[in-house]
Amino acid sequence: MIRLNDRLSAMAAEVRPGQRVLDVGTDHGYLPLYLWERGIAPQVIMSDISSGSLQKAAENCRLYFPHESFDLRLGNGLEVIKPHEVDCVIIAGMGGILIRDILAQDRAKSLAFQRLILQPRNNVGRLRYWLLNNGFHITREQLAKEGRYICEIITAEPGERAVSRNLGPERIEYQYPHTLIDFKNPLTEEYLRRKLAEEEHILAGLRQSSAPDREAIRSRQYRIDYLERLIKKL
């Protein structure tokens, strides 16, 4: 029986029963195999741009289910799939800008899927910005631990909602949105306090500079004040 860590379990919980699933960058293939084994997803497609990674998924297919045949596809992003061939797309464990670029490469195809489950390793604000400004809305935000890291998981679906068009993708409002409070979980405060400590460390360094950049200091202080307000709302 396939067992998942907290990060993969949180993503698995976002798949609706009966949805056909594509796992982009599947690596070992644990998540799609788990979804298939438990009857959550009747069809799973595992894809990766790396033949070596896809081979690891193929080996796990044979190890856990030697008498079953699975759909493994070598290719880049969404190029391996046709519109409406699956209902749910999972893209996890890569940078937020790369996830954004995969979705943006064929926006019409991305909008054809019922649900996206995304777990960026970084640049999550820029990914949120793209989603909210390209026809998607975020239905859930999750946090899950993996080792010493706290990972962010975004579930998004087609359908526009009102957004602040005057805010750029670099803004802290996209990096740490109020939806983190709306969907708070036991890790939310720890996560925000970690980020606050990082911002305070950067500010201390700016202030100790031999030629302090006042604009950079003001910008960093704004980020600190914003995070403090979010934490108070908890």
Side-chain angles (χ1 to χ4, degrees), residues 15 24 39 45 67 74 90 96 100 104 114 121 124 129 133 146-147 152 161 170 175 178 224 232:
V15 178
V24 176
I45 299 173
H67 304 297
L74 181 66
I90 299 170
R100 178 201 67 189
Q114 295 175 10
R121 291 294 192 190
V124 63
Y129 176 88
N133 285 275
E146 187 174 64
E152 296 181 66
R161 301 283 171 86
E170 77 288 345
Q175 192 172 357
H178 283 266
I224 289 170
K232 284 181 180 178

Side-chain angles (χ1 to χ4, degrees), residues 131-216:
L131 290 168
L132 296 173
N133 285 275
N134 283 275
F136 295 90
H137 65 278
I138 293 172
T139 61
R140 193 175 184 200
E141 301 262 9
Q142 291 190 82
L143 298 170
K145 270 193 174 176
E146 187 174 64
R148 63 188 180 90
Y149 298 102
I150 297 179
C151 306
E152 296 181 66
I153 301 163
I154 295 172
T155 303
E157 296 179 354
E160 290 189 348
R161 301 283 171 86
V163 295
S164 299
R165 303 289 182 184
N166 60 326
L167 297 180
E170 77 288 345
R171 291 291 296 261
I172 193 170
E173 289 84 354
Y174 283 108
Q175 192 172 357
Y176 310 114
H178 283 266
T179 46
L180 287 174
I181 305 300
D182 298 337
F183 297 108
K184 66 182 179 181
N185 74 8
L187 294 172
T188 304
E189 183 170 357
E190 180 184 353
Y191 174 76
L192 291 175
R193 289 196 181 279
R194 283 190 189 188
K195 299 303 180 182
L196 177 60
E198 290 174 9
E199 297 288 343
E200 290 173 335
H201 179 74
I202 294 171
L203 178 60
L206 289 171
R207 285 176 171 164
Q208 291 170 6
S209 171
S210 58
D213 184 332
R214 292 184 178 180
E215 182 58 36

Side-chain angles (χ1 to χ4, degrees), residues 25-68:
T26 196
D27 196 37
H28 289 83
Y30 290 128
L31 179 52
L33 288 174
Y34 172 95
L35 293 169
W36 180 86
E37 181 184 32
R38 282 159 176 76
I40 298 168
Q43 177 188 356
V44 293
I45 299 173
M46 292 166 256
S47 77
D48 211 294
I49 195 171
S50 162
S51 58
S53 293
L54 201 61
Q55 181 60 32
K56 288 187 286 186
E59 290 170 0
N60 278 330
C61 291
R62 290 191 294 268
L63 174 65
Y64 288 98
F65 308 106
H67 304 297
E68 298 291 340

Side-chain angles (χ1 to χ4, degrees), residues 70-87:
F70 290 93
D71 193 343
L72 291 89
R73 303 184 187 184
L74 181 66
N76 185 21
L78 301 179
E79 293 176 2
V80 302
I81 202 84
K82 296 177 182 178
H84 307 291
E85 192 176 354
V86 297
D87 309 298

